[in-house]
Amino acid sequence: MNYEDTLTLNAFLAAIARLQKPLPEGLLRQLGEIEQNLPRSVYKLHKLAKQFEPLHREYIAALRDQPSEGERLKFSTADTFSEADQLLLQLRYQIALLRDDELDEAEMTDEELWQWQDSPEAELAEQQWIESFANSQDVLAQLADEALEEFRQGRTQPLNL
């Protein structure tokens, strides 16, 4: 991937993270098509962002926030897992989150999984899950009460596991 593709990926990921509204279904479909052809299709992310004003606004802001190529080279470190690979992995993960899919670890190499587990996205996903679980205690308690009541009324059947 070239420098422009890296900028596009960085800005698009930042825009998705900042976005306050869900993406329309049509854009999610297009994003899935782009994902199928990564990294060759990175340039399409720019066109996709233009189709949804809130995303476009965040994307342009994120592009402006990008360091210059000289600054990036000055502070870069040599990694076995390149920045482009990290960005592509993050984009795939964000697409899965947007689609409400679970990240399929079976499709990831051990190195990708290790890299993702240490990423800010993984920490954010874990924090969101913890908050979601913590906020669902009332619902879980209500469901448990309903299940117990159904059991007492004889409306349940044993599972043959």
Side-chain angles (χ1 to χ4, degrees):
M1 272 188 357
N2 61 33
Y3 177 69
E4 288 78 23
D5 288 346
T6 303
L7 281 179
T8 298
L9 269 173
N10 266 322
F12 192 83
L13 285 166
I16 291 291
R18 296 176 188 171
L19 197 60
Q20 299 295 318
K21 296 182 178 184
L23 287 178
E25 189 62 37
L27 285 183
L28 282 174
R29 251 188 322 279
Q30 290 178 46
L31 193 53
E33 292 168 9
I34 291 170
E35 179 187 21
Q36 297 299 314
N37 296 306
L38 287 173
R40 292 185 318 270
S41 60
V42 168
Y43 71 95
K44 293 181 179 181
L45 293 173
H46 180 78
K47 293 178 184 177
L48 184 113
K50 285 184 176 182
Q51 297 177 31
F52 186 54
E53 180 54 35
L55 178 61
H56 187 245
R57 188 174 39 252
E58 295 297 342
Y59 176 74
I60 295 301
L63 278 175
R64 288 185 185 129
D65 292 343
Q66 296 288 319
S68 70
E69 188 172 10
E71 288 174 341
R72 288 170 37 90
L73 291 174
K74 183 169 51 173
F75 295 109
S76 69
T77 59
D79 266 339
T80 57
F81 201 72
S82 75
E83 178 183 11
D85 291 333
Q86 291 174 16
L87 292 171
L88 288 171
L89 183 60
Q90 289 173 13
L91 179 61
R92 287 188 174 108
Y93 177 72
Q94 288 297 332
I95 291 169
L97 285 180
L98 290 170
R99 277 198 240 131
D100 252 353
D101 291 343
E102 289 191 23
L103 189 61
D104 186 359
E105 294 178 4
E107 295 179 10
M108 300 174 73
T109 66
D110 289 342
E111 186 175 351
E112 287 174 331
L113 182 57
W114 176 80
Q115 187 71 29
W116 180 80
Q117 287 173 337
D118 289 338
S119 72
E121 288 76 19
E123 291 176 23
L124 178 61
E126 183 175 356
Q127 185 60 38
Q128 288 172 339
W129 187 89
I130 290 169
E131 289 173 11
S132 176
F133 185 73
N135 293 333
S136 66
Q137 295 303 304
D138 293 339
V139 174
L140 292 173
Q142 181 183 359
L143 290 171
D145 290 342
E146 289 174 19
L148 281 172
E149 185 60 32
E150 287 177 10
F151 175 76
R152 288 183 189 120
Q153 294 176 1
R155 299 185 333 195
T156 60
Q157 296 177 4
L159 293 175
N160 295 327
L161 301 175

